[in-house]
Amino acid sequence: MKTAKELLVAYLDNVKDLDVVASLFAEDGILELPYLASLGVEPSHQGPENITSFLKAVINTVEDFKFHDLKIFMETEDSIFAEYRIDTTVLKSGKGFNQHYMGRLVAENGKIKLLREALDTAQTIKSDIF
C-alpha cells in the first residue's frame, strides 16, 4: 500500500495524467480547495470522476500545469503536510499563474481520502484563471 508521501508525490508528478490521478483517490476521496469558494468556484470535489473533471477544466486553461519545489513539513504513514508551486501562463489572458500551494493529504488503505489545498486567492484573481 502506498504511504501518504508516495501518494502526494504520485499526484504532483502525474497531475496531467487524469487516469493516474483517478487511480490515486479513494472512491469517496475528496479534493478540496476551500478558499476557491470566495471566488465563486466550487471548492470541494468528491470521487475520482468529479476530481478529474475539475482538474481537467483547470489544466486546460493554462500552458503547462506542472508542480515543482515540493517541501515536506510533516509526515506520517497516513498523513502529510507540504508546500509546492506551479508557475505557468493562463491561455485566455496571457497572465502568469504563479501559485504557492499548501496541501494536507490523508491516506486510507493506500488511496487519497482527502487532499485539502490552500492557494493564494489574490494571485488567482490577478491571473484570470476562472
Side-chain angles (χ1 to χ4, degrees):
M1 266 194 275
K2 290 187 177 185
T3 65
K5 180 180 180 181
E6 290 169 333
L7 288 166
L8 181 61
V9 169
Y11 171 79
L12 297 176
D13 288 349
N14 296 286
V15 71
K16 293 188 295 186
D17 187 335
L18 298 177
D19 290 333
V20 171
V21 170
S23 74
L24 297 173
F25 279 85
E27 285 303 312
D28 61 347
I30 297 172
L31 173 62
E32 183 178 48
L33 291 99
Y35 302 117
L36 288 182
S38 66
L39 304 178
V41 177
E42 176 60 42
S44 185
H45 307 277
Q46 186 169 18
E49 186 176 317
N50 292 327
I51 291 165
T52 57
S53 177
F54 169 73
L55 288 172
K56 182 178 181 180
V58 173
I59 290 166
N60 287 338
T61 65
V62 298
E63 281 185 9
D64 187 24
F65 198 94
K66 187 175 184 179
F67 290 113
H68 59 89
D69 293 341
L70 174 63
K71 293 180 184 161
I72 297 170
F73 293 98
M74 186 282 305
E75 175 186 356
T76 66
E77 190 169 320
D78 62 357
S79 184
I80 189 168
F81 178 76
E83 293 181 352
Y84 34 94
R85 297 191 52 82
I86 185 169
D87 297 292
T88 188
T89 303
V90 177
L91 294 171
K92 72 178 181 181
S93 69
K95 295 180 180 180
F97 183 66
N98 307 301
Q99 280 291 344
H100 182 173
Y101 287 83
M102 292 179 282
R104 177 179 178 252
L105 185 146
V106 177
E108 185 178 275
N109 298 319
K111 298 283 186 175
I112 300 172
K113 181 72 171 180
L114 172 68
L115 176 53
R116 185 171 199 197
E117 295 179 318
L119 72 165
D120 181 348
T121 53
Q123 173 60 30
T124 303
I125 291 169
K126 289 178 190 176
S127 70
D128 290 331
I129 194 165
F130 293 110

